[in-house]
Amino acid sequence: AEKRAAPDWAEQVLRQSKLEAVFLTNDFDDPLEGFDTSVYIPCLRTDDLVFKLAEPSVRMRLEQATDCELTDVASLRQSLSALFDHFTAHQARACAISLPPDFTPRKVSEGRAETALAALLEHETEADTSQKSSISQFIFWTLAELCDQHRFPFDLMIGVNRAVYPGGVYQGQDLFDKRTSLKQYADLFNAFPRVTYPISVLSSTSNQELVSYSWIFPNVVTNGHWWYSNIPAYIEVDCRSRLQAVPRHKQIGYYSDMYKLEFALPKFRMYRGILARVLSSDFVVGRGWSETRALELGRQVLRGNVETIFGGAS
């Protein structure tokens, strides 16, 4: 998705490209003004809230965005709720976050959260790691509660290690490892059964587990092929396994960071070619499906499920 929309020229390019809508990822303090939110659809990105609240600049941004001074857990909850109200009022369709391999969602008691937040406000980035971890877990769990209240899907992009190669270019510093497991999220999935979790995994090596969780958990959805799994050879294997095992209404075939609108055509053309090959070989030839039936499945994976899970373009 585009990070921010440039309203004038971007809308002209959008019309020429025949794209109907673009799903954004917006900073939590984005005013969401100056662009058509029915075309550029907002999404509340929450990484900074969960993992960087110890930084004074992040707390200042939160206070300015919500007009609420952060002093205790009650004011923190009030601020997070205000963000959801703001994004809901501007036609946002989801909440999203990218998560490191060692993060485990866990419900934190109010008392523990109060202690941790007090330590964080006093010591800021020098606060003990356990205190920062407790606040991260408390905020994350609160976001899940708010997704439940607002009927937002909660996009989880799981497994990223940030700044592994600090000398790299922008978006060329982060890598994955194999410590990631969706078992860490099982309590979350069970605690909020009404929340839909479109899940992206960073590598193809995690795809089999994602397929199994999407097969078993009613609220888990396979979501695209993220970053290092966004390689045609891996996509074809992952696509084939998902179509074989995951219920057809629980698959979002493809999404990708665009950064520029012009990136949409080659990226989606690549995925459509792979999807066509799999449908042709496995379903038309392998199972004797008609081409019409195979195309219906392809449309549902590419487009229909997006509209069902997130809502269609206005």
Side-chain angles (χ1 to χ4, degrees):
E2 290 278 284
K3 187 67 176 177
R4 290 292 306 273
D8 296 332
W9 66 264
E11 290 188 8
Q12 181 179 357
V13 172
L14 197 71
R15 287 194 297 271
Q16 292 175 346
S17 69
K18 298 182 181 180
L19 289 171
E20 294 181 24
V22 177
F23 285 82
L24 312 179
T25 53
N26 302 86
D27 291 334
F28 68 83
D29 56 342
D30 193 328
L32 304 179
E33 297 173 352
F35 59 92
D36 185 349
T37 56
S38 68
V39 177
Y40 294 96
I41 300 172
C43 170
L44 172 57
R45 187 69 182 260
T46 56
D47 304 44
D48 287 353
L49 293 170
V50 173
F51 297 112
K52 296 183 179 181
L53 197 69
E55 298 180 10
S57 61
V58 173
R59 296 198 304 276
M60 182 181 298
R61 289 167 53 204
L62 179 60
E63 291 178 351
Q64 291 175 345
T66 61
D67 197 25
C68 179
E69 183 181 1
L70 184 58
T71 58
D72 54 18
V73 165
S75 60
L76 177 56
R77 284 190 181 276
Q78 181 181 345
S79 297
L80 297 176
S81 181
L83 292 179
F84 270 76
D85 290 342
H86 171 63
F87 272 75
T88 299
H90 288 79
Q91 303 186 62
R93 305 280 176 81
C95 179
I97 187 170
S98 65
L99 298 151
D102 58 353
F103 181 77
T104 299
R106 184 176 292 115
K107 186 173 183 178
V108 176
S109 70
E110 294 280 328
R112 176 70 184 105
E114 289 284 11
T115 301
L117 182 59
L120 186 146
L121 292 175
E122 180 179 357
H123 300 291
E124 299 183 336
T125 57
E126 299 301 316
D128 187 79
T129 300
S130 64
Q131 308 286 23
K132 290 189 283 190
S133 177
S134 291
I135 284 298
S136 292
Q137 291 172 330
F138 178 80
I139 293 173
F140 182 89
W141 203 266
T142 303
L143 293 174
E145 293 173 347
L146 289 165
C147 285
D148 190 19
Q149 294 172 21
H150 288 264
R151 296 294 188 268
F152 268 22
F154 199 177
D155 287 3
L156 306 182
M157 298 168 280
I158 297 173
V160 60
N161 287 305
R162 298 291 184 185
V164 176
Y165 174 46
V169 298
Y170 178 67
Q171 298 296 334
Q173 302 176 358
D174 310 326
L175 288 165
F176 69 95
D177 61 42
K178 295 183 180 180
R179 291 178 295 166
T180 302
S181 174
L182 296 182
K183 177 63 172 67
Q184 298 162 221
Y185 294 84
D187 289 346
L188 176 76
F189 302 152
N190 284 310
F192 301 99
R194 297 188 303 178
V195 176
T196 298
Y197 299 95
I199 292 181
S200 311
V201 289
L202 199 61
S203 72
S204 184
T205 58
S206 300
N207 182 67
Q208 183 178 356
E209 187 181 31
L210 176 56
V211 165
S212 298
Y213 271 70
S214 300
W215 179 0
I216 297 298
F217 278 91
N219 54 344
V220 174
V221 173
T222 60
N223 191 17
H225 305 270
W226 188 39
W227 281 16
Y228 298 105
S229 62
N230 189 40
I231 296 171
Y234 297 148
I235 290 177
E236 187 155 347
V237 174
D238 294 350
C239 176
R240 177 169 281 114
S241 65
R242 293 176 184 185
L243 288 173
Q244 289 177 357
V246 179
R248 60 187 291 167
H249 68 284
K250 298 180 64 187
Q251 303 181 52
I252 297 172
Y254 191 70
Y255 77 93
S256 184
D257 296 302
M258 283 168 49
Y259 300 110
K260 297 182 185 297
L261 286 170
E262 294 90 329
F263 288 7
L265 178 61
K267 288 192 170 190
F268 277 86
R269 178 176 286 168
M270 177 269 292
Y271 177 76
R272 285 198 302 267
I274 293 170
L275 179 61
R277 286 198 299 273
V278 173
L279 290 172
S280 175
S281 62
D282 290 19
F283 290 84
V284 176
V285 176
R287 302 187 187 183
W289 282 25
S290 66
E291 291 184 9
T292 299
R293 186 180 178 187
L295 286 170
E296 288 174 352
L297 174 57
R299 290 191 187 98
Q300 181 174 357
V301 168
L302 269 172
R303 175 68 180 267
N305 291 338
V306 173
E307 296 179 348
T308 301
I309 293 167
F310 296 105
S314 300

